[in-house]
Amino acid sequence: MTKITANHLGRAAFVYIRQSTADQLLHNPESRRRQYGLADRARQLGWATVEIIDDDLGRSGGGINRPGFERLLAAICEGRVGAVFAIEASRLDRNGHDWHTLIEFCGLVGTIIVDEDGLYDPRHPNDRLLLGMKGTMSELELSLFRQRSHEALKQKARRGALFLGVAAGYVRIGHDRIEMDPDQRVQDALRLVFTKFTELHSVRQVHLWLRDEGIALPVACHTAAEGRSIVWKLPLYNTVHNILTNPVFAGAYAFGRTMSKVSVEDGRKRVNRGLRRPLAEWDVLLKDQHEGYISWREFERNQQVIADNATGKGSAAVRGAVRRGELLLAGLLRCGHCGRKLYVGYGGKAGRYYCQGALVNHGTERCISFGGLRVDHAVGSEILRVLKPLGVNAAAKALEAQTRETSAAQKQIDLALQQARFSAAHARRQYDAVDPDNRLVAGELERRWNEALQVVYRLEGEVAALEARKPAALGEKERRHLLQLGADLELAWSHPAATAATRKRILRAALYEIVVRIEGGFIEMVLHWQGGDHTALKLKMNGAGKHRWTVPEDTLSLIRELARLMPDQQIARLLNRAGKPTGRGNGWTKARVCSFRNHHGIAVYRDSEWAERGEISLQAAAQIMDVSIMTALRMVRRGIIKGRQHCRGAPWVIKVEAMAAYREQKPSRRSLTSDPTQQILMFQ
């Protein structure tokens, strides 16, 4: 019995046409003609209305962005499709999920699927099984194609011969080798980027300097007509960052520096490409493969500087770049409460250090804030104390190496003077050998000779100045004075010529980080030195100004304790019953308790806190002992079970250890009441 019925012919036949890539569209026209020819076959089978869907030409069947396929599914669901024509299952789909969705919809509305091998009705079990196998094979085929291609690329990359693109500054030689671009302008521009980064230690500052000076950088551009070419553009930040982070400029070949991350958003697959991977996770890294603009050691140092400068999201462990500002500890301070890096704020007469907390990491917001002047002075004094012995030692070594260093400097200038005199004599011989009438050549050679003579005169002047400055042997008095200057580092630290940037660099050279906490009105700091030692400092905070609306300290302490035991609404009720008003004399509400907590950095109540602290309520203790709440209360008040209550009406808090100790020992047989006739309960 034929599978094509009048119901199928009464609806339209849809011909789905797809080719995977743009290259197939250009070079595989016969496949496209075969697919369009399916419209004639549909008419031969009896369909009067044939609609062609070719919106997905040049799109992969395994992708998610196929408007033509979605239009086909919509038409099937509307019941307008009697048959779907395709030359094979791989033309319809290479994605298992979409393929089985198509089969399911066709089976629901009674649509048949037609390819070059036959007709299939998804409502029939045998046809549905065969269609499922075809879709699985199509998906597997695409996976095998991808796997083979990827493995071939990786094998070529392991030899350092795969170049999908060549960075500006290099040109391809043959198919498997690159070398420096012979254009001197390109080389000088790239070297300038690395030189300025060594000077400024900031990608952003290098970018701003290049823009301010109007210096363009080379960018590799690919066009169909001209192929690869170099264009000059004012740099963007990403251009400078890519130059500084690309290992090709360090003479290394790298493959697999980025990866793709697949996620599901709104029920659809989303692929985020170009995510950077750590150096240790790169697939291939071959050093010294070609001539580099910098060494590999310089490249690694640059990457460390860039990583330390990062201050964006997820970079709480970095120190940040040295910035403008008078406060010295920016980037070195870390909150001892939440572990986050402290920020710097300037306002009024002086700046402040403050922490915004770690709400995401710890579930609570713990903020601290304190003035920066006293803390900077204390840390600076500690730095001078630690470095003072080093200053004395340095002064002693300077005395020992004075004669040796003077001799080395004299030797270097003498060698430079000898080289300059040779260059001047060579320039004179070239000038004497040329015909004086040939002024075009003679003029240039005369200029070179004059420049060489100027270098000679300059170096002779430096030799004479060095001889004049050569100090005499120091006496005992001078030696003691030099040692005293080496010990007087405080004078150098506080000297007007010593800028804040200089002090910051000294601090970063000596300190790794400073962990700071505020406890009991004191600023407690732990200085972590670069060598691994630690030093503790403790400073008393200046008293904060009190105003007439301030809540009493006992109320603050009570709210701090109650916030661990109950939510804000119950805290408000308890405070109102206890007769403790707000600072303005008003009653407490849930909103006021919440605002008060946030202002004082008190964490919100969580049900899990009881278990985390190993505590239970009076009701829970009564249930464990299988007694009434009043009986449990009498036991707590008599000291049989240890418990505490912060104020009248507050929940009783009982430690789990106390309950465990009570259960281990035999229960007392004395009555909890004063009635001698009260029978004793025996606990089993």
Side-chain angles (χ1 to χ4, degrees), residues 193-255:
V193 174
F194 294 106
T195 302
K196 294 304 295 184
F197 183 78
T198 303
E199 174 186 345
L200 301 175
H201 295 279
S202 170
V203 180
R204 181 176 179 272
Q205 293 302 320
V206 174
H207 167 242
L208 293 178
W209 183 85
L210 293 172
R211 300 284 296 195
D212 292 341
E213 297 296 329
I215 299 176
L217 293 182
V219 179
C221 180
H222 298 268
T223 59
E226 300 180 2
R228 182 182 182 274
S229 60
I230 296 296
V231 296
W232 293 84
K233 299 179 180 179
L234 286 177
L236 303 174
Y237 175 85
N238 286 341
T239 304
V240 180
H241 187 272
N242 290 336
I243 291 174
L244 292 169
T245 57
N246 194 338
V248 70
F249 296 106
Y253 176 89
F255 178 78

Side-chain angles (χ1 to χ4, degrees), residues 360-548:
V360 176
N361 294 340
H362 299 277
T364 60
E365 186 176 358
R366 298 293 302 274
C367 295
I368 60 176
S369 176
F370 51 89
L373 293 181
R374 297 178 69 246
V375 173
D376 284 358
H377 178 74
V379 175
S381 299
E382 186 67 18
I383 287 288
L384 296 177
R385 184 189 67 81
V386 174
L387 296 183
K388 182 177 180 179
L390 300 180
V392 176
N393 188 30
K397 289 184 177 180
L399 288 173
E400 297 173 0
Q402 180 188 19
T403 304
R404 183 175 66 253
E405 291 178 356
T406 304
S407 301
Q410 181 73 49
K411 182 178 180 180
Q412 291 297 322
I413 293 181
D414 289 341
L415 292 175
L417 181 58
Q418 292 178 18
Q419 180 65 37
R421 287 171 176 169
F422 171 79
S423 300
H426 180 69
R428 178 179 179 177
R429 289 193 299 269
Q430 287 183 321
Y431 175 75
D432 292 340
V434 73
D435 188 349
D437 294 333
N438 189 357
R439 297 306 305 169
L440 294 176
V441 178
E444 175 63 20
L445 294 177
E446 184 179 8
R447 184 188 64 80
R448 296 180 183 177
W449 183 19
N450 289 332
E451 290 180 352
L453 290 174
Q454 290 177 4
V455 175
V456 172
Y457 296 150
R458 178 177 60 81
L459 290 174
E460 288 177 345
E462 291 182 6
V463 170
L466 186 60
E467 289 290 341
R469 295 195 306 267
K470 188 174 182 179
L474 296 178
E476 185 62 28
K477 182 178 180 180
E478 289 79 4
R479 293 174 64 89
R480 287 198 304 268
H481 182 63
L482 183 58
L483 290 173
Q484 182 180 357
L485 290 178
D488 195 6
L489 295 178
E490 185 175 358
L491 178 61
W493 179 269
S494 58
H495 195 276
T499 63
T502 302
R503 298 189 187 100
K504 290 178 182 179
R505 289 190 172 92
I506 295 175
L507 288 171
R508 287 171 178 248
L511 294 173
Y512 174 70
E513 71 173 5
I514 302 173
V515 179
V516 57
R517 298 173 61 91
I518 294 181
E519 296 290 349
F522 287 89
I523 303 175
E524 300 178 356
M525 295 182 291
V526 178
L527 280 61
H528 295 261
W529 302 89
Q530 293 286 4
D533 291 338
H534 311 283
T535 301
L537 294 179
K538 190 173 183 180
L539 300 176
K540 184 172 179 58
M541 296 185 65
N542 293 330
K546 301 290 184 178
H547 54 79
R548 55 180 176 169

Side-chain angles (χ1 to χ4, degrees), residues 306-356:
I306 294 174
D308 286 340
N309 289 346
T311 56
K313 183 178 180 181
S315 58
V318 302
R319 297 190 295 177
V322 174
R323 300 172 181 266
R324 293 190 296 269
E326 293 301 319
L327 293 185
L328 305 180
L329 304 181
L332 292 177
L333 292 174
R334 186 170 304 283
C335 179
H337 300 280
C338 65
R340 303 281 292 186
K341 185 178 66 175
L342 267 65
Y343 295 89
V344 179
Y346 291 95
K349 296 182 179 179
R352 297 185 66 82
Y353 298 109
Y354 64 94
C355 174
Q356 292 184 336

Side-chain angles (χ1 to χ4, degrees), residues 1-11 41 45-47 81-85 106 109-115 117-131 134:
M1 185 175 96
T2 179
K3 297 178 182 179
I4 302 177
T5 64
N7 184 26
H8 295 141
L9 297 176
R11 292 177 281 178
R41 184 185 178 191
L45 291 176
W47 271 276
V81 183
V84 177
F85 283 78
C106 290
V109 300
T111 300
I112 64 175
I113 299 176
V114 184
D115 62 10
D117 297 329
L119 288 76
Y120 310 92
D121 189 344
R123 293 175 298 182
H124 296 171
N126 291 337
D127 289 357
R128 193 183 187 94
L129 175 62
L130 186 56
L131 287 172
K134 284 196 170 191

